[in-house]
Amino acid sequence: MSPADFRRYALFYLGYYGALGAYTPYIGRWVVANGHGGYAVGAMLALWYGGRIVAPPTWARFSARSVRPGHWLVAGCSLAMLGFVAFAGFDTGVMLFVTMAWFGVFFNAVMPQFEAMTLSALGPRNHYYGRIRMWGSVGFLVVAGSYGWLLDRLGNDVFVWLTLPWLLLTVVAAWLHRGDRPTALPTAGTPREVLWRRPGARRLLLVALLVQLGFGPFYVFFTLHLQAQGHDGFAVGVLWAIGVLCEIVMFWQAPRLVQRFGAQRLMSACIVATVLRWTLVALLGGSFAWMALAQTGHALSFAAFHAGCMRRMAELFPQRRDMAAAQGLLYGFSGGIGGVAGAGLAAVAWQYGGGRLAFLCGAVVGLVALTAHLLPVRVLRPQPAA
């Protein structure tokens, strides 16, 4: 990959995750500021993650058949931006959730396609994926670390307008890929049911789903949990920034770790760190120092785990023709089913026991994920009929 191509791919991650850096930490704050409760926040995030169930595999199918897949990327980013603009007019009532569904479908549709494009462009040098993906973390860091302070001073009403420039950058970055050619013949892809049966695929999808489910309280209520514990907007932003800064460092080091330890052992360590992290957040949320320590765990629980998943995807699906469909499966299971279930679990736990119960539930789910990851393969493999 040439330096110019590296910049093209890095720019898309920068814009996409910059927008996500506004959305993920602060959408709950914006919804609550408009008079809604915990269930509404959970429903909003469930719709967001629900888009990951339907959109990625459908989008991957259409884009894989196109001779100009870059045009699909531009279209998806443009439609996502238009959907987000609608939040400026629909901040209450049914249309709030309709707008959320629109935005969630198109914004979530494009990333699996782009991940497949990135891995295909890297080819056998896929262990360098983390150094491109790191620029997404830079965008997330800049936004998540500053928007809490900005919203404290400018008011929650500016949330939509502060997010739109990052969505526009995503459209511009997608435009740079408009002429990208397909990585394989459109008719040469392997059916998804065949990919599903590939040895090791079901385990990876299950573990990714459970880890994402355990992240539900973090993505839905972390900001609100910190505010309930007495932290102001500046402190919340700093804590988000600590997590993402550690994530950036880890993405830069991930190629060495994956090469040295292998994806399986690295993912085991990441899940253990995740369980410890949610336990700290649940029990010591009022302490800035302990929360800062917990946020350093983002390096393992998110960045290294994600890099490990990408390596396992490259190992399980080495054919470029399979990568887009396989990425769609991963996003559908982890970010889709796991995200919806995680948002629902978090909303119910929040209503009954606040952040303490929600994050303890996340820790328990992490233990289940670790068990699934460490089970012998034969336990997870369907047994032949007698």
Side-chain angles (χ1 to χ4, degrees), residues 46-350:
L47 286 169
W48 160 258
Y49 288 116
R52 295 186 176 183
I53 300 175
V54 178
T58 305
W59 199 263
R61 188 178 305 116
F62 286 128
S63 62
R65 292 174 180 171
S66 173
V67 296
R68 294 286 187 180
H71 289 182
W72 284 88
L73 186 68
V74 174
C77 293
S78 300
L79 290 169
M81 184 177 69
L82 289 175
F84 201 86
V85 169
F87 279 127
F90 303 112
D91 55 8
T92 58
V94 175
M95 287 305 299
L96 171 66
F97 299 103
V98 172
T99 301
M100 181 66 256
W102 173 283
F103 173 65
V105 162
F106 290 108
F107 194 72
N108 285 311
V110 297
M111 184 46 73
Q113 177 193 358
F114 193 76
E115 294 271 43
M117 292 167 64
T118 303
L119 290 172
S120 295
L122 287 170
R125 297 165 62 89
N126 58 70
H127 52 281
Y128 285 107
Y129 162 84
R131 295 186 179 178
I132 296 177
R133 171 61 179 80
M134 179 195 73
W135 288 97
S137 301
V138 171
F140 197 103
L141 170 66
V142 170
V143 176
S146 61
Y147 276 29
W149 179 83
L150 286 172
L151 292 175
D152 276 356
R153 279 146 186 78
L154 302 178
N156 293 299
D157 291 340
V158 303
F159 167 73
V160 174
W161 306 111
L162 286 174
T163 307
L164 282 175
W166 293 96
L167 290 166
L168 179 60
L169 178 59
T170 305
V171 174
V172 172
W175 181 257
L176 299 178
H177 291 271
R178 67 191 183 282
D180 286 11
R181 296 287 183 177
T183 56
L185 292 175
T187 57
T190 304
R192 280 183 294 164
E193 57 270 19
V194 176
L195 299 178
W196 165 260
R197 291 196 297 268
R198 190 159 296 179
R202 288 183 294 273
R203 177 199 292 269
L204 177 62
L205 293 173
L206 174 62
V207 172
L209 183 156
L210 290 169
V211 169
Q212 181 67 52
L213 196 159
F215 261 85
F218 178 72
Y219 286 135
V220 180
F221 291 114
F222 185 59
T223 295
L224 296 177
H225 176 60
L226 293 176
Q227 289 182 318
Q229 296 293 322
H231 302 287
D232 62 13
F234 177 76
V236 171
V238 170
L239 288 170
W240 277 97
I242 289 171
V244 182
L245 185 60
C246 294
E247 172 188 321
I248 292 170
V249 173
M250 179 55 72
F251 270 128
W252 189 257
Q253 296 297 323
R256 296 180 184 177
L257 294 177
V258 172
Q259 291 284 84
R260 179 174 180 179
F261 298 107
Q264 290 292 93
R265 282 194 292 172
L266 181 60
M267 290 168 67
S268 297
C270 293
I271 299 171
V272 171
T274 303
V275 172
L276 295 175
R277 180 186 180 188
W278 299 152
T279 303
L280 283 177
V281 174
L283 301 180
L284 301 168
S287 167
F288 182 87
W290 281 110
M291 290 304 91
L293 178 62
Q295 282 297 85
T296 64
H298 204 62
L300 288 172
S301 61
F302 177 77
F305 183 81
H306 185 70
C309 280
M310 290 300 102
R311 166 51 74 90
R312 286 295 293 146
M313 291 291 288
E315 292 170 350
L316 292 171
F317 309 103
Q319 299 296 323
R320 293 186 180 186
R321 65 186 183 183
D322 298 336
M323 187 55 70
Q327 286 289 342
L329 275 176
L330 179 64
Y331 270 68
F333 269 82
S334 63
I337 299 172
V340 171
L345 173 67
V348 173
W350 178 269

